[in-house]
Amino acid sequence: MTVTQSEPVTGGTVVEGLPKVVRTRPRPATPAGCGTPRAPHPRPAGQDRYTISEVAGHTGLSAHTLRWYERIGLMPHVDRTHTGQRRFTNRDLDWLELVTRLRLTGMPVADMVRYAELVREGEGTFPEREELLTRHREDVRQRIADLQSTLDVLDYKIDIYADARRASERV
């Protein structure tokens, strides 16, 4: 069982073994890249069984990082061949896409590991997962506001220098 097997599926897809999720409000459009392969890195050619080097090439994560994610419980139970080589599945790639996006937002690794634990615990953890993601979303929104404010200062300063340059060119 991979980490994402208890995760609700978007887009109305039904996955065998997963409970059907009843939604009381419409779900927003799936963000680009959330559960879909990124354009610059097409999925490796394979039958839902990828080596660590194929996954590293696809995700941009190093093999060392992939092993570390597995060791800390962020990427639990990657299947292995009879010789012990890791074999990743499409579900693992989907999970890594989510993890990569969470890292991009600045989510601490400890929170991502906690989220992975909650996913493995099943549906009963939906409220706690929602709360964790909601809290993180507020942190992201605050950082975006801080960055926008910083961008406004940069734009102001650039305008001052552009005005000064244009004034000196007129002379």
Side-chain angles (χ1 to χ4, degrees):
M1 176 190 227
T2 61
V3 153
T4 57
Q5 286 182 335
S6 295
E7 196 69 335
V9 180
T10 60
T13 305
V14 177
V15 176
E16 185 177 329
L18 291 181
K20 185 174 181 178
V21 178
V22 177
R23 296 180 181 93
T24 57
R25 57 190 156 114
R27 195 172 265 203
T30 302
C34 189
T36 61
R38 287 181 266 162
H41 300 289
R43 287 221 166 145
Q47 300 296 318
D48 194 32
R49 309 294 288 167
Y50 310 108
T51 65
I52 197 166
S53 62
E54 289 173 322
V55 172
H58 171 68
T59 62
L61 299 169
S62 69
H64 174 79
T65 298
L66 292 168
R67 288 185 201 101
W68 180 65
Y69 281 179
E70 186 179 4
R71 191 169 56 251
I72 66 172
L74 188 54
M75 186 75 219
H77 186 67
V78 174
D79 288 335
R80 306 242 180 181
T81 65
H82 68 284
T83 60
Q85 293 178 319
R86 288 171 179 84
R87 288 292 183 244
F88 294 83
T89 65
N90 286 325
R91 290 194 88 141
D92 295 328
L93 293 179
D94 290 343
W95 178 256
L96 286 168
E97 178 71 26
L98 173 63
V99 167
T100 300
R101 298 230 175 232
L102 292 175
R103 285 297 290 150
L104 183 62
T105 67
M107 180 179 272
V109 172
D111 287 350
M112 291 191 309
V113 169
R114 179 64 185 141
Y115 181 78
E117 290 168 351
L118 293 170
V119 169
R120 286 192 300 275
E121 290 174 22
E123 282 185 31
T125 64
F126 280 3
E128 194 172 348
R129 286 188 247 174
E130 179 184 18
E131 195 273 326
L132 188 150
L133 292 175
T134 300
R135 189 174 55 243
H136 183 64
R137 179 178 60 190
E138 291 309 312
D139 293 343
V140 170
R141 285 182 173 159
Q142 181 58 54
R143 284 202 344 266
I144 289 171
D146 293 344
L147 286 171
Q148 185 60 55
S149 175
T150 301
L151 184 60
D152 292 344
V153 170
L154 288 172
D155 288 342
Y156 173 77
K157 295 300 278 182
I158 289 168
D159 288 345
I160 289 173
Y161 295 126
D163 289 345
R165 181 181 42 78
R166 282 190 292 273
S168 68
E169 289 172 354
R170 284 187 289 236
V171 175

